[in-house]
Amino acid sequence: MSRVFRSFFRRSRRKSTLNSLDAEPEVLNISQVVCKHYKKSIKEIDQDIIQEIRVLGEPPYVVRGTVTVTDERNITEYLNVFVKLFDTEVSPNDKRDFDLFCYRKEFQVYVSILPALTKFQESTGIDQEQFLFRTLIPRTYGATLSQKQQDAYYPDNSGMLILEDLSLQGYEVEEAPAGLELKSAVLAIRALAKMHAIVLAMSIKNTIEFFNKVMVHLEYESKYAYPDDLHTTILNLIKYDILDRPQLINYKSTIHKAIRRACFDAFDESEENPWHTMCHGRFWSQSIMFKKSEMGGEPISCKIINFKLAEYESCIEELIFFMYTSIQINVLDDEFDQFLEIYFQTFKDVLKKHNLDLDDTIYNFAAFLAEVNKIGLKALAEVLVHLREIVTKTENSEDHVDAKNEYFERLCFIFLHMIKQGWITVDQETTE
């Protein structure tokens, strides 16, 4: 079952409130959590909360600050921290269970999955600079679901996830309503391929450890019981009259059938698939922070954030989802085949660095393209469920019209591009 159908929840959007030190935010014992995860003997530790960022009704909320750590040799280290906290009182009842689940999921990624992947990479002799948390993902300085309950399953108000503050290193999320430009898209695709390949390498070389330390945390339950539930949801989201537009009117019947088939394909998934690995679960432009050069302002590196929906899924489906939802339409139209090549070559290079030369197996470019074509239509359902929320995500009412137009333009492009790729088969009567 594809991740989209397990992760779609409609949420209200409210503006965030920023509280400085003058607002006297609630005292949080960040230092205590850092102490438990710090690898050196600590002589003294102190914390300084700089800013609280809270979106009303939307847990978790965030605290930014500094933790000062002095070890027994009197060497002081300053940790710039980005702390995700869970306020169980601000979430409405209909969202609370899902918010609790998402927080626990991200906690598991940082506390269980990433350490297991790091240990695996160490065992293969990978250079430390190639470790997953250093190149792709924020470092964690500590985490707990609860400081009150020793074996808490879900977070309470004392739970926190303490990460490095990437913003102070020059990283930021690109505000790109029309999608990412070419250089940012290439960076993101390479990062996605690296993450997918590292996890796949562990699943192949250290299977038992993978299932015990990684796979066990990647389960999901479906929100949709039947394909018809999903089909109805999609039609309500895309507003079926979009198919009456001039660009699509001749393909109306074809597209409607394709959407329905995609919904059924989403429920017809083989248990064994060589392209399954740990996926982000909602990899789009807002799931990536980019660092730009001081000269020219071009993107030079990126980090993946927000793992609250991580799961075991087809890496190819996640790639298609990212491209259709998050890259500028003209760039995607021109570079689609090139993006596939970049992803695969990066994927293959990472496997080789982990001593896996799989040229004579299923992991070759021809097999990759075959899987892309096989899974392309199935990815349509996931794209359609999330596209409206992604493209029209704006708090400024003046931007809403432009966002809505961008949404319909992207919808048209996706349908026509899938027809061009042969993933949507045109009805015979349409071609006559």
Side-chain angles (χ1 to χ4, degrees):
M1 181 66 178
S2 175
R3 65 186 174 278
V4 56
F5 319 120
R6 307 164 204 178
S7 64
F8 176 64
F9 287 79
R10 303 181 70 175
R11 296 164 171 257
S12 59
R13 301 187 185 95
R14 299 181 176 89
K15 293 185 178 180
S16 62
T17 60
L18 306 183
N19 296 327
S20 65
L21 285 174
D22 296 336
E24 298 183 357
E26 179 184 355
V27 177
L28 301 163
N29 200 341
I30 299 171
S31 297
Q32 180 179 339
V33 180
V34 172
C35 276
K36 293 181 179 179
H37 292 261
Y38 205 70
K39 298 194 184 244
K40 301 175 184 177
S41 297
I42 296 176
K43 176 181 177 182
E44 185 178 349
I45 186 167
D46 193 17
Q47 68 183 46
D48 182 19
I49 295 175
I50 298 171
Q51 183 185 59
E52 178 183 304
I53 307 172
R54 184 189 295 263
V55 181
L56 299 179
E58 294 288 343
Y61 66 97
V62 169
V63 166
R64 299 176 64 240
T66 302
V67 176
T68 306
V69 182
T70 304
D71 65 21
E72 290 183 336
R73 296 178 297 168
N74 289 322
I75 297 176
T76 299
E77 185 176 1
Y78 299 93
L79 310 179
N80 295 311
V81 297
F82 181 90
V83 188
K84 291 188 174 183
L85 304 111
F86 194 91
D87 190 340
T88 57
E89 297 176 358
V90 301
S91 181
N93 290 334
D94 62 337
K95 292 170 50 185
R96 182 168 175 172
D97 289 345
F98 180 66
D99 289 325
L100 288 167
F101 175 84
C102 287
Y103 192 95
R104 174 176 168 77
K105 173 67 70 174
E106 188 161 27
F107 172 87
Q108 290 170 327
V109 169
Y110 282 100
V111 171
S112 300
I113 294 177
L114 291 184
L117 290 169
T118 299
K119 184 177 179 181
F120 162 70
Q121 289 191 288
E122 289 174 341
S123 71
T124 60
I126 294 291
D127 186 277
Q128 287 194 4
E129 293 305 315
Q130 298 296 320
F131 283 178
L132 187 61
F133 71 85
R134 292 194 176 180
T135 59
L136 300 176
I137 297 170
R139 185 192 298 265
T140 176
Y141 294 129
T144 181
L145 291 174
S146 173
Q147 296 182 67
K148 304 171 184 176
Q149 307 173 55
Q150 185 175 0
D151 298 317
Y153 188 80
Y154 285 121
D156 57 29
N157 286 7
S158 66
M160 60 180 69
L161 177 59
I162 307 170
L163 308 174
E164 63 179 327
D165 192 343
L166 294 177
S167 65
L168 296 181
Q169 300 175 30
Y171 286 90
E172 59 183 17
V173 175
E174 284 194 15
E175 295 298 330
L180 300 175
E181 46 78 37
L182 178 60
K183 291 184 178 180
S184 295
V186 170
L187 280 174
I189 287 173
R190 284 179 175 155
L192 187 65
K194 289 176 183 178
M195 182 185 75
H196 288 160
I198 290 169
V199 181
L200 181 65
M202 181 180 179
S203 71
I204 294 173
K205 298 196 70 173
N206 200 344
T207 305
I208 295 177
E209 192 76 3
F210 171 76
F211 275 92
N212 290 338
K213 297 293 180 65
V214 178
M215 188 67 173
V216 69
H217 299 298
L218 296 179
E219 296 180 357
Y220 244 117
E221 291 186 7
S222 173
K223 177 182 185 293
Y224 298 97
Y226 304 102
D228 286 338
D229 297 340
L230 179 60
H231 185 243
T232 300
T233 297
I234 288 175
L235 293 185
N236 289 336
L237 281 169
I238 69 171
K239 305 302 181 187
Y240 192 47
D241 57 0
I242 178 71
L243 302 183
D244 288 324
R245 297 198 168 203
Q247 307 98 306
L248 301 177
I249 187 65
N250 291 335
Y251 303 108
K252 184 172 182 178
S253 175
T254 291
I255 293 173
H256 192 193
K257 291 177 183 177
I259 293 172
R260 187 160 186 81
R261 180 185 162 192
C263 293
F264 277 86
D265 285 351
F267 285 79
D268 183 21
E269 186 173 284
S270 60
E271 294 183 1
E272 297 295 331
N273 187 311
W275 299 99
H276 275 46
T277 183
M278 185 183 87
C279 290
H280 180 276
R282 186 77 68 85
F283 192 77
W284 63 297
S285 59
Q286 298 294 296
S287 306
I288 319 152
M289 296 183 76
F290 293 93
K291 184 175 184 177
K292 296 184 178 181
S293 64
E294 295 182 3
M295 297 293 294
E298 293 186 347
I300 55 176
S301 64
C302 68
K303 300 255 188 179
I304 304 172
I305 59 174
N306 296 334
F307 283 88
K308 61 185 181 180
L309 296 170
E311 70 167 343
Y312 189 69
E313 183 49 66
S314 165
C315 60
I316 294 176
E317 186 174 353
E318 180 154 80
L319 171 64
I320 294 171
F321 175 84
F322 168 71
M323 290 194 295
Y324 276 139
T325 60
S326 304
I327 299 176
Q328 292 177 7
I329 289 175
N330 62 320
V331 173
L332 185 57
D333 196 25
D334 293 339
E335 305 292 339
F336 186 82
D337 291 339
Q338 183 69 15
F339 286 149
L340 293 178
E341 291 180 14
I342 290 171
Y343 176 90
F344 178 78
Q345 190 58 54
T346 304
F347 187 92
K348 180 179 176 181
D349 289 345
V350 171
L351 292 181
K352 284 190 173 182
K353 286 180 181 178
H354 290 78
N355 303 318
L356 283 168
D357 192 350
L358 303 173
D359 288 342
D360 295 329
T361 69
I362 191 67
Y363 301 104
N364 58 68
F365 192 55
F368 170 75
L369 291 180
E371 186 69 14
V372 169
N373 290 326
K374 177 182 176 182
I375 211 166
L377 179 60
K378 176 184 172 184
L380 176 64
E382 180 178 0
V383 170
L384 295 182
V385 165
H386 291 296
L387 187 66
R388 188 185 188 98
E389 179 187 7
I390 289 174
V391 176
T392 63
K393 189 176 181 65
T394 175
E395 293 180 350
N396 189 336
S397 59
E398 296 179 359
D399 295 335
H400 182 70
V401 174
D402 289 340
K404 188 175 180 181
N405 290 335
E406 166 65 24
Y407 169 64
F408 286 125
E409 182 181 354
R410 187 168 288 267
L411 261 184
C412 288
F413 169 80
I414 290 169
F415 289 136
L416 293 175
H417 191 266
M418 283 196 170
I419 290 172
K420 176 183 174 182
Q421 293 296 119
W423 300 347
I424 295 179
T425 305
V426 178
D427 291 339
Q428 182 64 34
E429 60 267 25
T430 303
T431 61
E432 294 177 351

